[in-house]
Amino acid sequence: MKSKRHLVSLLATGAVAALVLTGCAAGDGDTAGSGSGSSDGDYKLAFIQGVTGDEFYVTMQCGIEAKAKELGVTVNTQGPAKFDPTLQKPIVDSVVASKPDALLIAPTDVTAMQRPLQAAADAGIKIILVDTTVEDPSMASSQISSDNKGGGSEAFTAIQEQHPDGGKVLVISTDPGVSTVDARIAGFEESAAKDSKFEYLGVQYSHNDPAEAAKLASAALAKDPDIVGIFATNTFAAEGTATGVRQADKQDSLSIVGFDAGPAQIKQLKEGTVQALVAQQPEVIGSDAVEQAVAALKGDKVEAKIQTGFQIITADNIDTEGADYIYKSSC
Ligand code: T6T
């Protein structure tokens, strides 16, 4: 059995970065959209989450509400019960019918959400994409998300740090067609391909269901008991993977690196089942999104793309700088 090593602090501190690309809002110079807002800033915003009850979107909502209060605009938040475009599309349709001035949305699929968002934009609603995106995001005034590919690459580095002799590595994700997790996988795969000591076993999809992720992890370990690392690409994949690894009693020889930093994930990190978490900044994404929506509505300069940073959280920094990145269950 291989003993797990402590992640170096370089990894824990080097990852927070932000990149801003400046562009112009579509229809620069416009004031309000088709909604009830007026050019003096009394705007009505809508926020549609990827899924309700996910602390990532709860924390984003906290950032949205705080910034909305500061800027004197209103925001109505809704989301589907599952991360599923067939459930998210009818919500978009009903939000469009309610004629908000701007829609902040995390689309649940790159293809399926393309037409509903185009229809919203065609109705004169300013679109701000938060977290995820679609195949052709040109209808959006602004897109705000983490450096997901970079985070996936850091996840591989974290496993590499713990297992310098290499070995088998696996990815457990949610569903193909979700832009964020697909980018995380790409970053992980690109980095894994550069180290021939590692054998990449590919991706398994858990449909954003922790119970399914647990089953996948147990089954993978039954087939390949010598797996040294699993990268789980979001909260639900990571929570379930940790459960599956514990059920297989492999927590002492295998490293789990998960994306996100929900309270249950932090507990698993503190218990030692999970070795590293790639924490995003959902509150910043939400706050930036409101700023961009209001700028677009006022016809001010809009940042076409904002990339927010991330922080690697390990047992070494969870009580110091890592603590600031834990997601919230309520504001
Ligand atoms: O990882 C986040 C988000 O970035 C992703 O698009 C979907 O899953 C989360 O909400 C975490 O559950």
Side-chain angles (χ1 to χ4, degrees), residues 54 56-57 83 131-132 178 180 184 233-236 260 280:
D54 176 337
F56 175 80
Y57 296 114
F83 198 96
D131 180 45
T132 41
V178 179
T180 47
R184 293 167 198 167
T233 64
N234 86 337
T235 295
F236 301 107
D260 297 303
Q280 306 186 70

